[in-house]
Amino acid sequence: MATAEQILSALREIEVPDLGADLVTLGMVQDVKSLHGIVTFTIVVKPGATALQGQLDAPVKAAVRALPGISDVAVHWLVKPEARPAAAPAAKGTPPGGPAGLPAGVKHVIAVGSGKGGVGKSTVTANLALALSASGLRVGVLDADIYGPSMPFLLGVTGEKPHVENDKLVPIEAHGLKVMSMGFLLPDPDEPVVWRGPMLAGAMRQFFQDVSWGELDCLLVDLPPGTGDVPLSLVQLVPVSGAVIVLTPQPVAAAIGTKTLRMLQAAKAPILGVVENMSHFVCGCGRETDIFDRGGGRIVAEHAEVPFLGEIPLDPAIRASGDRGIPVVVAEPDGAHAQAFHRLATAVQEQLLHASTPLSRR
């Protein structure tokens, strides 16, 4: 597999028009990363040179794809204004920003991922966030599935539009959570988002830098399925405190879910554990039926040597409450299904103690 130096060497062959030097010599290439054959990096241009993307994007990708072991290339074109004079020092008592890459006030970022769609990852994210909130934490949810945002629907805030304060978007409030989603920003909710990788990476950057998240104990990021541009951008942009992998029990879902787990591990994101969704169905007679098999989540966790966080049953009540925009943790807080999510929230907090610093309650 190509190394970062080999990638830079290939990019040294790309001369920038009118500047008489290559991309690397001009210091325009940043954040080169290679993971499982997928290469990502940023090319920085000045405001007056945005036309370079149209001129160089194709030859840049072709040069890197020609290297051995490269299956895909994602380039983020970043327009960087000229440096401004340094601002005056902040007044005494001004609260400091968060860790490098984190929005000020956000203590932990927890990624929720899956290998494939249809495993109920967003439903798990919404209910896990609400269970964490019910335990006394300040919680936000970032719907990072740019192509298929579902959080506004699941949390009952479709049609809401965030407003701007101090040049930043203010998240929508839903059931005590702070929520941001591409679904809030589209003029027509049925309008498809047809973007390539660099635009997805740019959107992720804006969701962290241009949203006023305020004080949060944890920000849950509902990732799109798979190992594409958005998960890669997340681990490059911010320090992830931990990741939760959602899968269903059948072998195909478990096998594909393992790919996302391995990708996040390779990116040095701590894996908090695996949760098996749609684990079993309990009929009115009390009998459990394993519709999608059972135990796949535990097997994946054991093979990957990560914690198994528990099972969430398959039940129409979980689906119906999400369809109403009132997730089951809120709709039936004392019910058996809500308790399954509360147990999941407890397990996530326990694993976070080992992965980083503990979550403190408000």
Side-chain angles (χ1 to χ4, degrees):
M1 188 176 297
T3 64
E5 184 52 44
Q6 288 174 313
I7 295 166
L8 289 172
S9 179
L11 294 175
R12 287 189 180 95
E13 301 299 319
I14 308 295
E15 185 167 319
V16 181
D18 302 324
L19 294 184
D22 62 87
L23 288 166
V24 178
T25 300
L26 292 169
M28 297 170 65
V29 181
Q30 298 180 0
D31 302 326
V32 177
K33 296 185 185 300
S34 178
L35 181 66
H36 296 321
I38 301 173
V39 173
T40 64
F41 52 89
T42 297
I43 296 180
V44 179
V45 298
K46 296 179 180 179
T50 54
L52 287 176
Q53 179 173 355
Q55 296 172 319
L56 297 181
D57 191 70
V60 160
K61 290 179 179 177
V64 177
R65 284 198 183 102
L67 296 172
I70 302 301
S71 60
D72 201 4
V73 180
V75 184
H76 176 219
W77 290 83
L78 175 64
V79 179
K80 190 172 182 180
E82 298 289 350
R84 298 178 181 178
K92 186 176 181 180
T94 301
L102 282 178
V106 176
K107 296 180 181 178
H108 296 280
V109 169
I110 299 175
V112 184
S114 68
K116 62 190 294 292
V119 300
K121 170 185 52 60
S122 295
T123 296
V124 170
T125 302
N127 281 283
L128 172 58
L130 289 164
L132 290 168
S133 178
S135 73
L137 300 177
R138 297 164 297 185
V139 183
V141 178
L142 170 54
D143 184 356
D145 193 343
I146 308 297
Y147 293 136
S150 58
M151 211 52 68
F153 182 82
L154 291 171
L155 293 172
V157 284
T158 55
E160 297 284 344
K161 298 294 180 185
H163 65 281
V164 177
E165 287 184 7
N166 300 320
D167 296 325
K168 290 198 173 187
L169 287 171
V170 177
I172 301 297
E173 296 274 347
H175 307 296
L177 306 175
K178 291 184 177 181
V179 187
M180 182 53 63
S181 169
M182 180 60 73
F184 297 139
L185 306 178
L186 297 174
D188 180 353
D190 296 325
E191 179 183 343
V193 176
V194 186
W195 287 356
R196 294 188 182 275
M199 296 182 70
L200 295 174
M204 283 295 293
R205 186 181 298 274
Q206 289 184 297
F207 277 143
F208 284 104
Q209 295 182 348
D210 298 336
V211 174
S212 180
W213 288 107
E215 298 293 324
L216 292 179
D217 295 303
C218 55
L219 175 61
L220 271 63
V221 182
D222 184 32
L223 294 172
T227 57
D229 292 289
V230 171
L232 284 169
S233 296
L234 174 68
V235 296
Q236 291 176 4
L237 286 171
V238 297
V240 176
S241 295
V244 174
I245 306 299
V246 181
L247 48 78
T248 50
Q250 68 266 42
V252 63
I256 297 174
T258 301
K259 296 179 183 295
T260 298
L261 189 156
R262 294 298 191 194
M263 183 274 286
L264 291 170
Q265 278 184 323
K268 308 302 181 184
I271 304 298
L272 301 181
V274 172
V275 56
E276 182 178 286
N277 194 32
M278 306 183 199
S279 179
H280 57 279
F281 172 72
V282 182
C283 70
C285 65
R287 179 179 177 182
E288 293 186 0
T289 303
D290 299 333
I291 294 177
F292 296 117
D293 204 347
R294 194 166 180 178
R298 191 180 296 277
I299 292 172
V300 167
E302 290 175 353
H303 284 178
E305 298 182 337
V306 300
F308 180 63
L309 300 174
E311 301 174 345
I312 304 297
L314 172 68
D315 195 280
I318 298 176
R319 188 272 310 161
S321 62
D323 286 349
R324 295 197 307 271
I326 310 174
V328 72
V329 167
V330 173
E332 303 175 25
D334 297 322
H337 308 314
Q339 294 308 308
F341 285 110
H342 285 297
R343 289 192 294 272
L344 173 61
T346 299
V348 166
Q349 292 182 71
E350 289 175 350
Q351 293 306 320
L352 199 62
L353 287 171
H354 302 294
S356 58
T357 54
L359 287 165
S360 57
R361 284 159 177 73
R362 59 177 179 263

